[in-house]
Amino acid sequence: MEGAWEIAFVFFQVWLSIVVGLIMLPAMFGVSLGFTDIYIKVLVKTLEWATLRIQRGQKEQAALPSQSANGIIEKDDGSMQEEIGELRRSHPKNLAGGDFTLCDAFYFCKKGIENIVEDQVTQRFTSEELASWNLLTRTNNNFCYISLRLTIIWGLGVFIRYCILLPLSVKNWLSDLVHITCYRICARGLSATIRYHNKENRPKKGGICVANHTSPIDIVILANDGCYAMVGQVHGGLMGVLQRSIVRSCPHVWFERSEMKDRHAVAKRLKDHIADKTKLPILIFPEGTCINNTSVMMFKKGSFEIGGTIYPVAIKYDPQFGDAFWNSAKYNMVSYLLRMMTSWAIVCNVWYLPPMTRQDGEDAVQFANRVKSAIAHQGGLVDLSWDGGLKREKVKESLKEEQQKMYSSMIIGSDFNEASVGPA
């Protein structure tokens, strides 16, 4: 029995030496030893081999259903005028006038069925589907037994993720270190490989940093390269414990739920913060909810009404190594963090865009859309005008009326033009 305890103590000493020597000390001085890059390269080769082995095994088994990269169905990208005009031209009588015709209803029926099958909002709140298996639990298909070698590799992966990567991720006892060191340790605990681009555009003190939002670990990704003052609502549970812990090392701006409804009080506190050029830049996610990193949805205008310099940041995760998207309707915070700690790695690119300010004659909504478009373009994301809050609320009547007015103007406008060219 004593021999077993001695062996366990030796293993603990080795593990502690690895944590201190390869994680803690490099994180304190911002030095990378290159082990993460080597780990990612080996992992890529392993996943490529596993994919080829699965494809070879599929030839001997029934074909598995595959999903198009563009979604379940193919949609036309034409405008309402173009598609309705095409319907009228295909009619035997070649209806090209502006009057209402019954065939116009087919356009609205088609669009309605397309959105029932696959709309642009709902699919942004489910995990992005992968073309191949990444040896994690989540896959596109429930793969059955393929080969003994693949099963051994999968079992070895389970051992690595739960017995090596997970213990290395538990570093709560390092919370007394400085702000940025803690975030670097958290990034290494998540096996994060982060590539920062255009560092000369990093947010400066007295500014506002805005970024697309995929996960709570977006904060870790950005704070790994600099310190930020965060803005958000006071939470309870584990999130509340984390908020109270990090506010001791940095003056963050937390609001009570009652204060969040008072826009003037929120704006005043934010203006007071950015007015002090010695304070850290504020980090804000204007979407207001987590998106699955395939798109950028509507930015709330509040962040762009308080003035100051906006520093846009685009974040793009590589889903091959792990799904960084937090589906809050499916996973609580503890379950989500466990999934992140047991993923292969968190690989992402961060682009710092040039600072932007509000132009003359530009309102807050236009400014927000301009910043959103720049982030979407840089990150290779789809630029959507939909409000992310639609996953919890009904579509606003104003959006319905906008489509109705568009169709009405097409009909009435055509009649008006025909009347205007008639005899005087």
Side-chain angles (χ1 to χ4, degrees):
M1 192 66 178
E2 293 180 357
W5 281 108
E6 291 179 357
I7 294 175
F9 182 72
V10 171
F11 274 109
F12 176 75
Q13 285 183 319
V14 172
W15 177 83
L16 187 62
S17 300
I18 293 174
V19 170
V20 174
L22 301 182
I23 296 179
M24 179 180 172
L25 292 179
M28 291 177 63
F29 298 101
V31 177
S32 176
L33 301 180
F35 290 108
T36 304
D37 293 333
I38 297 174
Y39 166 69
I40 293 298
K41 291 178 181 178
V42 174
L43 190 55
V44 168
K45 295 296 182 182
T46 303
L47 295 179
E48 290 176 352
W49 173 85
T51 301
L52 294 175
R53 188 64 189 86
I54 290 173
Q55 292 174 350
R56 190 189 314 166
Q58 287 178 349
K59 297 178 181 178
E60 305 171 0
Q61 301 177 5
L64 294 170
S66 60
Q67 182 179 359
S68 171
N70 297 325
I72 301 174
I73 58 178
E74 294 185 2
K75 298 182 180 180
D76 296 328
D77 295 328
S79 63
M80 178 188 295
Q81 292 85 345
E82 293 174 351
E83 295 193 36
I84 291 181
E86 184 64 27
L87 282 173
R88 294 183 175 184
R89 286 191 293 271
S90 63
H91 194 275
K93 295 184 180 180
N94 191 18
L95 302 172
D99 294 331
F100 170 78
T101 58
L102 187 60
C103 67
D104 293 351
F106 288 103
Y107 167 80
F108 297 101
C109 292
K110 174 187 174 185
K111 290 298 181 181
I113 293 173
E114 285 180 352
N115 287 317
I116 291 174
V117 175
E118 184 182 34
D119 67 277
Q120 287 188 331
V121 175
T122 304
Q123 61 178 319
R124 307 301 170 184
F125 300 98
T126 57
S127 295
E128 180 183 0
E129 292 294 334
L130 303 180
S132 61
W133 189 26
N134 61 357
L135 298 181
L136 292 174
T137 304
R138 184 183 70 83
T139 58
N140 288 357
N141 303 284
N142 294 321
F143 288 106
C144 56
Y145 175 80
I146 299 295
S147 69
L148 179 61
R149 284 188 296 174
L150 189 61
T151 303
I152 293 174
I153 292 294
W154 178 84
L156 182 61
V158 171
F159 174 79
I160 293 174
R161 291 187 290 118
Y162 283 89
C163 298
I164 298 179
L165 297 181
L166 178 59
L168 290 177
S169 303
V170 183
K171 306 179 185 72
N172 292 333
W173 56 278
L174 296 175
S175 59
D176 58 335
L177 294 179
V178 295
H179 181 89
I180 195 168
T181 301
C182 291
Y183 281 114
R184 286 173 176 170
I185 292 173
C186 290
R188 283 162 172 76
L190 294 171
S191 302
T193 297
I194 313 167
R195 300 181 181 91
Y196 298 97
H197 308 273
N198 307 324
K199 287 192 174 184
E200 65 275 9
N201 296 325
R202 278 187 294 189
K204 296 179 174 57
K205 292 183 177 181
I208 302 174
C209 174
V210 298
N212 56 303
H213 197 23
T214 303
S215 157
I217 66 173
D218 292 341
I219 299 171
V220 176
I221 298 300
L222 294 177
N224 198 59
D225 192 44
C227 296
Y228 297 90
M230 287 172 283
V231 177
Q233 179 179 311
V234 176
H235 291 272
L238 177 61
M239 182 64 76
V241 174
L242 294 176
Q243 286 181 319
R244 289 190 294 271
S245 299
I246 62 178
V247 79
R248 297 171 184 170
S249 60
C250 181
H252 301 290
V253 185
W254 302 131
F255 296 94
E256 295 291 343
R257 182 180 296 272
S258 58
E259 292 180 286
M260 293 294 289
K261 297 179 181 179
D262 188 350
R263 296 184 58 185
H264 296 289
V266 173
K268 183 179 184 305
R269 289 189 60 183
L270 295 180
K271 286 181 179 179
D272 293 341
H273 185 98
I274 64 175
D276 188 349
K277 299 304 179 183
T278 62
K279 290 187 177 181
L280 297 174
I282 297 176
L283 176 59
I284 299 177
F285 301 102
E287 289 169 302
T289 187
C290 293
I291 313 297
N292 68 354
N293 207 228
T294 62
S295 312
V296 181
M297 305 191 77
M298 186 183 78
F299 279 7
K300 304 294 190 298
K301 66 177 182 179
S303 307
F304 303 88
E305 290 178 328
I306 60 178
T309 303
I310 299 293
Y311 294 88
V313 176
I315 306 174
K316 179 61 179 176
Y317 293 91
D318 189 342
Q320 182 180 8
F321 306 101
D323 183 23
F325 168 61
W326 181 33
N327 187 347
S328 57
K330 188 176 181 181
Y331 301 104
N332 58 34
M333 179 58 66
V334 176
S335 300
Y336 172 76
L337 291 177
L338 181 62
R339 283 168 55 84
M340 291 298 96
M341 291 179 182
T342 56
S343 294
W344 288 117
I346 302 297
V347 180
C348 70
N349 286 276
V350 176
W351 290 274
Y352 296 110
L353 280 66
M356 303 173 69
T357 55
R358 192 165 164 180
Q359 299 176 350
D360 294 336
E362 187 179 46
D363 60 25
V365 175
Q366 294 172 334
F367 185 26
N369 289 333
R370 182 161 60 92
V371 174
K372 176 171 69 75
S373 299
I375 292 176
H377 176 74
Q378 181 63 71
L381 306 170
V382 180
D383 186 2
L384 297 177
S385 58
W386 294 103
D387 185 356
L390 286 174
K391 71 175 181 179
R392 300 184 181 92
E393 303 172 356
K394 293 183 179 180
V395 178
K396 296 180 180 179
E397 291 296 328
S398 59
L399 296 178
K400 299 178 183 178
E401 293 175 359
E402 183 179 350
Q403 296 296 315
Q404 294 169 355
K405 290 179 180 179
M406 186 185 302
Y407 179 69
S408 300
S409 63
M410 186 183 70
I411 299 297
I412 298 174
S414 298
D415 290 340
F416 178 78
N417 290 334
E418 289 179 0
S420 63
V421 298

